[in-house]
Amino acid sequence: MLFLLTNRTRANLSAAQFGEMAVLAKAFYASIPSDVKIRGEFAALDQTHNYTLLEAPDLETVQRIQAPFAPYADTVIVAVREISGWTAT
């Protein structure tokens, strides 16, 4: 399944909290679960949000890998599907 994650870092994080979040991110990228694939990552030009398109077996997997970041970022997870265009009806 495909999931689009929208992350917004919390506004009032201390420098220490930013450091903790960076350690978590490095650990995640060093050991991405084998059943999870990152299809794309994007950041808003104003750096207020970042977006990740993930492939994972289910929502629970995405919630589990995102949970450590909950103290540092607000996250919205949406299951999505690929489309190839619109047709008139």
Side-chain angles (χ1 to χ4, degrees):
M1 294 182 70
L2 292 175
F3 298 91
L4 181 64
L5 285 66
T6 302
N7 299 292
R8 183 177 190 140
T9 303
R10 295 179 191 262
N12 297 322
L13 294 183
S14 67
Q17 289 171 311
F18 272 112
E20 292 164 8
M21 187 172 59
V23 167
L24 286 172
K26 287 179 185 179
F28 169 75
Y29 286 108
S31 61
I32 297 171
S34 61
D35 58 352
V36 173
K37 306 273 186 278
I38 297 175
R39 293 278 202 96
E41 293 183 286
F42 308 89
L45 292 179
D46 65 3
Q47 300 180 9
T48 59
H49 294 77
N50 66 61
Y51 307 90
T52 302
L53 182 62
L54 281 181
E55 185 174 349
D58 52 44
L59 176 61
E60 292 77 22
T61 299
V62 178
Q63 290 171 327
R64 180 176 40 81
I65 63 175
Q66 191 64 24
F69 297 95
Y72 311 104
D74 294 315
T75 302
V76 175
I77 302 169
V78 178
V80 296
R81 65 179 172 188
E82 206 168 326
I83 60 172
S84 60
W86 298 94
T87 58
T89 57

